Amino acid sequence: MEAWLTAVRIPIGKWIAVFVDLLNEHASGFFDAIADSLSFLIEGTTDLLQAIPAVALVIIITVLAHLLQRRWPLTVFTALSLLLIINLGLWEETVQTLVLVLYATLFCMLIGVPLGIHAAHHPRLNAALRPVLDLMQTIPTFVYLIPTLILFGLGVVPGLISTVVFALAAPVRLTSLGISEVPSHLVEAGDAFGCTRWQRLMKIELPHAMPTILAGLTQCIMLSLSMVVIAALVGADGLGKPVVRALNTVNIEKGFEAGLAIVIVAILLDRLCRQRAS
Protein backbone atom coordinates (compact mmCIF):
# COMPACT_ATOMS: atom_id res chain seq x y z
CA MET A 1 0.00 0.00 0.00
CA GLU A 2 2.79 2.43 0.93
CA ALA A 3 4.65 1.74 -2.32
CA TRP A 4 1.43 2.32 -4.26
CA LEU A 5 0.82 5.63 -2.49
CA THR A 6 4.35 6.91 -3.18
CA ALA A 7 4.55 5.62 -6.76
CA VAL A 8 2.97 8.76 -8.19
CA ARG A 9 3.97 11.83 -6.18
CA ILE A 10 1.63 14.84 -6.21
CA PRO A 11 3.90 17.82 -7.04
CA ILE A 12 2.24 20.35 -4.74
CA GLY A 13 5.51 22.16 -4.05
CA LYS A 14 6.29 22.32 -7.76
CA TRP A 15 2.87 23.85 -8.50
CA ILE A 16 3.46 26.55 -5.89
CA ALA A 17 6.95 27.22 -7.26
CA VAL A 18 5.58 27.55 -10.80
CA PHE A 19 2.87 29.91 -9.56
CA VAL A 20 5.39 32.13 -7.74
CA ASP A 21 7.68 32.12 -10.79
CA LEU A 22 4.77 33.19 -13.00
CA LEU A 23 3.95 36.04 -10.63
CA ASN A 24 7.57 37.10 -10.56
CA GLU A 25 7.81 36.95 -14.35
CA HIS A 26 4.57 38.69 -15.34
CA ALA A 27 3.85 40.99 -12.36
CA SER A 28 7.34 41.98 -11.26
CA GLY A 29 6.59 45.66 -11.88
CA PHE A 30 3.57 45.51 -9.58
CA PHE A 31 5.52 43.87 -6.77
CA ASP A 32 8.46 46.25 -7.26
CA ALA A 33 6.06 49.19 -6.92
CA ILE A 34 4.67 47.75 -3.68
CA ALA A 35 8.18 47.11 -2.38
CA ASP A 36 9.34 50.64 -3.24
CA SER A 37 6.25 52.23 -1.69
CA LEU A 38 6.48 50.25 1.54
CA SER A 39 10.24 50.80 1.78
CA PHE A 40 9.77 54.55 1.31
CA LEU A 41 7.03 54.60 3.96
CA ILE A 42 8.92 52.58 6.56
CA GLU A 43 12.32 54.16 5.98
CA GLY A 44 10.81 57.64 5.92
CA THR A 45 9.06 57.09 9.25
CA THR A 46 12.22 55.58 10.74
CA ASP A 47 14.34 58.51 9.57
CA LEU A 48 11.80 60.97 10.97
CA LEU A 49 11.81 59.33 14.41
CA GLN A 50 15.58 58.99 14.44
CA ALA A 51 15.92 62.70 13.61
CA ILE A 52 14.32 63.44 16.99
CA PRO A 53 16.86 63.33 19.83
CA ALA A 54 16.57 60.06 21.72
CA VAL A 55 15.85 61.66 25.10
CA ALA A 56 13.20 63.93 23.56
CA LEU A 57 11.49 60.92 21.96
CA VAL A 58 11.59 59.09 25.30
CA ILE A 59 9.83 62.07 26.91
CA ILE A 60 7.19 62.10 24.15
CA ILE A 61 6.51 58.35 24.52
CA THR A 62 6.39 58.66 28.33
CA VAL A 63 3.88 61.52 28.18
CA LEU A 64 1.80 59.54 25.67
CA ALA A 65 1.85 56.52 27.98
CA HIS A 66 0.64 58.64 30.89
CA LEU A 67 -2.13 60.25 28.83
CA LEU A 68 -3.34 56.87 27.58
CA GLN A 69 -3.30 54.93 30.84
CA ARG A 70 -3.05 57.49 33.69
CA ARG A 71 -0.95 55.09 35.75
CA TRP A 72 2.19 56.46 37.35
CA PRO A 73 3.92 53.05 37.74
CA LEU A 74 3.57 52.48 33.99
CA THR A 75 4.76 56.02 33.27
CA VAL A 76 7.88 55.54 35.39
CA PHE A 77 8.52 52.09 33.89
CA THR A 78 8.20 53.52 30.37
CA ALA A 79 10.80 56.23 31.02
CA LEU A 80 13.28 53.98 32.83
CA SER A 81 13.03 51.09 30.36
CA LEU A 82 13.55 53.34 27.33
CA LEU A 83 16.50 55.04 29.00
CA LEU A 84 17.94 51.56 29.64
CA ILE A 85 17.67 50.78 25.93
CA ILE A 86 19.57 53.99 25.14
CA ASN A 87 22.21 52.99 27.69
CA LEU A 88 22.62 49.59 26.00
CA GLY A 89 23.29 51.29 22.67
CA LEU A 90 20.24 49.74 20.99
CA TRP A 91 18.08 52.83 20.48
CA GLU A 92 18.41 52.96 16.68
CA GLU A 93 17.51 49.27 16.33
CA THR A 94 14.60 49.72 18.75
CA VAL A 95 13.13 52.55 16.67
CA GLN A 96 13.46 50.42 13.52
CA THR A 97 11.71 47.52 15.23
CA LEU A 98 8.99 49.79 16.61
CA VAL A 99 8.24 51.18 13.15
CA LEU A 100 8.12 47.71 11.61
CA VAL A 101 5.76 46.41 14.32
CA LEU A 102 3.50 49.47 14.17
CA TYR A 103 3.11 49.25 10.38
CA ALA A 104 2.56 45.49 10.48
CA THR A 105 -0.08 45.95 13.19
CA LEU A 106 -1.71 48.82 11.28
CA PHE A 107 -2.03 46.77 8.09
CA CYS A 108 -3.29 43.74 10.04
CA MET A 109 -6.00 45.79 11.75
CA LEU A 110 -7.01 47.60 8.54
CA ILE A 111 -7.51 44.23 6.85
CA GLY A 112 -8.49 42.07 9.81
CA VAL A 113 -11.20 44.17 11.49
CA PRO A 114 -13.42 44.68 8.39
CA LEU A 115 -12.87 41.06 7.38
CA GLY A 116 -13.79 39.87 10.88
CA ILE A 117 -16.94 42.01 10.90
CA HIS A 118 -17.97 40.64 7.52
CA ALA A 119 -17.26 37.07 8.64
CA ALA A 120 -19.38 37.53 11.78
CA HIS A 121 -22.33 38.60 9.63
CA HIS A 122 -21.85 35.88 6.99
CA PRO A 123 -21.47 32.34 8.41
CA ARG A 124 -20.42 30.89 5.04
CA LEU A 125 -17.53 33.33 4.78
CA ASN A 126 -16.58 32.55 8.37
CA ALA A 127 -16.54 28.82 7.60
CA ALA A 128 -14.44 29.41 4.47
CA LEU A 129 -11.95 31.63 6.33
CA ARG A 130 -11.39 29.22 9.20
CA PRO A 131 -9.11 26.73 7.39
CA VAL A 132 -7.27 29.60 5.65
CA LEU A 133 -6.55 31.28 8.99
CA ASP A 134 -5.49 27.94 10.47
CA LEU A 135 -3.07 27.50 7.58
CA MET A 136 -1.66 31.00 8.00
CA GLN A 137 -0.98 30.40 11.69
CA THR A 138 0.43 26.89 11.47
CA ILE A 139 2.72 27.02 8.41
CA PRO A 140 6.28 27.65 9.67
CA THR A 141 7.09 31.32 9.33
CA PHE A 142 10.28 30.59 7.38
CA VAL A 143 8.09 29.26 4.56
CA TYR A 144 6.55 32.73 4.12
CA LEU A 145 9.97 34.25 3.61
CA ILE A 146 10.78 32.24 0.48
CA PRO A 147 8.03 33.55 -1.88
CA THR A 148 8.05 37.05 -0.35
CA LEU A 149 11.82 37.23 -0.81
CA ILE A 150 11.47 36.23 -4.47
CA LEU A 151 8.62 38.66 -5.14
CA PHE A 152 9.73 41.70 -3.13
CA GLY A 153 13.52 41.33 -2.93
CA LEU A 154 15.86 41.62 0.01
CA GLY A 155 15.05 44.18 2.71
CA VAL A 156 12.35 45.18 5.15
CA VAL A 157 9.38 44.58 2.81
CA PRO A 158 9.44 40.73 2.73
CA GLY A 159 9.77 40.81 6.52
CA LEU A 160 6.77 43.13 6.77
CA ILE A 161 4.62 41.08 4.38
CA SER A 162 5.50 37.83 6.16
CA THR A 163 4.69 39.42 9.51
CA VAL A 164 1.31 40.62 8.26
CA VAL A 165 0.43 37.17 6.91
CA PHE A 166 1.47 35.52 10.18
CA ALA A 167 -0.31 37.98 12.50
CA LEU A 168 -3.45 38.67 10.45
CA ALA A 169 -5.41 35.73 11.83
CA ALA A 170 -5.59 37.19 15.35
CA PRO A 171 -7.59 40.37 14.57
CA VAL A 172 -9.82 38.51 12.11
CA ARG A 173 -10.72 35.79 14.61
CA LEU A 174 -11.18 38.05 17.63
CA THR A 175 -13.15 40.70 15.73
CA SER A 176 -15.48 38.01 14.41
CA LEU A 177 -15.79 36.55 17.90
CA GLY A 178 -16.54 39.93 19.49
CA ILE A 179 -19.23 40.83 16.94
CA SER A 180 -20.78 37.36 17.18
CA GLU A 181 -21.04 37.63 20.98
CA VAL A 182 -23.09 40.83 20.98
CA PRO A 183 -26.30 39.94 22.92
CA SER A 184 -29.23 39.40 20.60
CA HIS A 185 -31.53 41.58 22.71
CA LEU A 186 -29.27 44.59 22.04
CA VAL A 187 -29.37 43.96 18.30
CA GLU A 188 -33.15 43.50 18.44
CA ALA A 189 -33.54 46.73 20.41
CA GLY A 190 -31.52 48.59 17.79
CA ASP A 191 -33.64 47.13 15.00
CA ALA A 192 -36.80 48.06 16.91
CA PHE A 193 -35.66 51.69 17.07
CA GLY A 194 -35.05 51.72 13.33
CA CYS A 195 -31.25 51.51 13.24
CA THR A 196 -29.70 50.97 9.85
CA ARG A 197 -27.03 48.26 9.49
CA TRP A 198 -24.31 50.91 9.70
CA GLN A 199 -25.83 52.51 12.82
CA ARG A 200 -26.24 49.11 14.46
CA LEU A 201 -22.60 48.30 13.74
CA MET A 202 -21.22 51.64 14.98
CA LYS A 203 -23.48 52.17 18.00
CA ILE A 204 -24.13 48.64 19.26
CA GLU A 205 -21.84 45.95 17.86
CA LEU A 206 -18.45 47.68 17.78
CA PRO A 207 -18.72 49.27 21.26
CA HIS A 208 -19.71 45.93 22.78
CA ALA A 209 -16.99 44.06 20.88
CA MET A 210 -14.26 46.64 21.52
CA PRO A 211 -12.55 44.75 24.43
CA THR A 212 -12.27 41.65 22.23
CA ILE A 213 -11.02 43.71 19.28
CA LEU A 214 -8.37 45.31 21.51
CA ALA A 215 -7.33 41.82 22.62
CA GLY A 216 -6.83 41.05 18.94
CA LEU A 217 -4.74 44.20 18.65
CA THR A 218 -2.41 43.20 21.49
CA GLN A 219 -2.11 39.66 20.12
CA CYS A 220 -1.24 41.12 16.72
CA ILE A 221 1.51 43.22 18.31
CA MET A 222 2.97 40.23 20.14
CA LEU A 223 2.89 38.07 17.01
CA SER A 224 4.55 40.86 15.02
CA LEU A 225 7.32 41.15 17.59
CA SER A 226 7.86 37.40 17.45
CA MET A 227 8.72 37.84 13.76
CA VAL A 228 11.41 40.48 14.37
CA VAL A 229 14.30 38.03 14.48
CA ILE A 230 13.00 36.02 11.52
CA ALA A 231 12.52 39.18 9.44
CA ALA A 232 16.18 40.06 10.08
CA LEU A 233 17.18 36.98 8.09
CA VAL A 234 15.88 38.62 4.90
CA GLY A 235 17.46 42.01 5.53
CA ALA A 236 14.96 43.79 7.80
CA ASP A 237 16.62 46.22 10.18
CA GLY A 238 15.88 46.32 13.88
CA LEU A 239 16.56 44.34 17.03
CA GLY A 240 16.51 41.09 15.09
CA LYS A 241 19.89 41.85 13.52
CA PRO A 242 21.91 41.94 16.76
CA VAL A 243 20.14 38.75 17.85
CA VAL A 244 21.13 37.00 14.62
CA ARG A 245 24.70 38.30 14.91
CA ALA A 246 24.88 37.14 18.53
CA LEU A 247 23.60 33.72 17.47
CA ASN A 248 26.20 33.44 14.70
CA THR A 249 29.05 34.44 17.01
CA VAL A 250 27.66 32.76 20.16
CA ASN A 251 27.77 36.14 21.92
CA ILE A 252 25.64 35.68 25.04
CA GLU A 253 26.05 39.30 26.16
CA LYS A 254 24.78 40.91 22.95
CA GLY A 255 22.07 38.32 22.48
CA PHE A 256 20.66 38.84 25.96
CA GLU A 257 20.73 42.64 25.67
CA ALA A 258 18.93 42.63 22.31
CA GLY A 259 16.43 40.11 23.63
CA LEU A 260 15.81 42.29 26.69
CA ALA A 261 15.13 45.28 24.43
CA ILE A 262 12.57 43.21 22.48
CA VAL A 263 10.87 42.22 25.74
CA ILE A 264 10.74 45.87 26.86
CA VAL A 265 9.14 46.95 23.57
CA ALA A 266 6.62 44.09 23.85
CA ILE A 267 5.64 45.01 27.41
CA LEU A 268 5.28 48.71 26.61
CA LEU A 269 3.15 48.17 23.51
CA ASP A 270 0.98 45.64 25.31
CA ARG A 271 0.35 47.95 28.29
CA LEU A 272 -0.26 51.02 26.13
CA CYS A 273 -2.81 49.25 23.91
CA ARG A 274 -4.82 47.75 26.74
CA GLN A 275 -8.20 49.23 27.53
CA ARG A 276 -7.87 51.55 30.49
CA ALA A 277 -9.73 50.44 33.58
CA SER A 278 -12.48 52.87 34.49
Side-chain angles (χ1 to χ4, degrees), residues 203-220:
K203 296 183 178 181
I204 298 174
E205 294 176 336
L206 282 180
H208 190 277
M210 192 54 64
T212 308
I213 294 174
L214 288 178
L217 172 64
T218 56
Q219 278 200 21
C220 186

Side-chain angles (χ1 to χ4, degrees), residues 1-53:
M1 176 64 74
E2 183 177 348
W4 179 78
L5 287 173
T6 57
V8 180
R9 183 173 178 271
I10 301 175
I12 297 177
K14 185 176 181 180
W15 294 339
I16 299 296
V18 169
F19 176 69
V20 172
D21 289 339
L22 285 175
L23 287 178
N24 192 39
E25 180 179 353
H26 298 287
S28 58
F30 172 73
F31 291 110
D32 289 343
I34 293 178
D36 293 340
S37 301
L38 291 177
S39 296
F40 176 78
L41 187 65
I42 294 171
E43 291 172 3
T45 305
T46 303
D47 292 340
L48 178 63
L49 291 178
Q50 289 179 344
I52 303 173

Side-chain angles (χ1 to χ4, degrees), residues 47-62:
D47 292 340
L48 178 63
L49 291 178
Q50 289 179 344
I52 303 173
V55 176
L57 191 55
V58 168
I59 294 173
I60 293 171
I61 297 173
T62 303

Side-chain angles (χ1 to χ4, degrees), residues 90-112:
L90 293 170
W91 181 252
E92 182 178 345
E93 291 84 355
T94 299
V95 171
Q96 293 167 344
T97 293
L98 188 62
V99 171
L100 177 62
V101 170
L102 289 179
Y103 274 115
T105 303
L106 174 64
F107 291 139
C108 283
M109 297 304 289
L110 288 177
I111 299 171

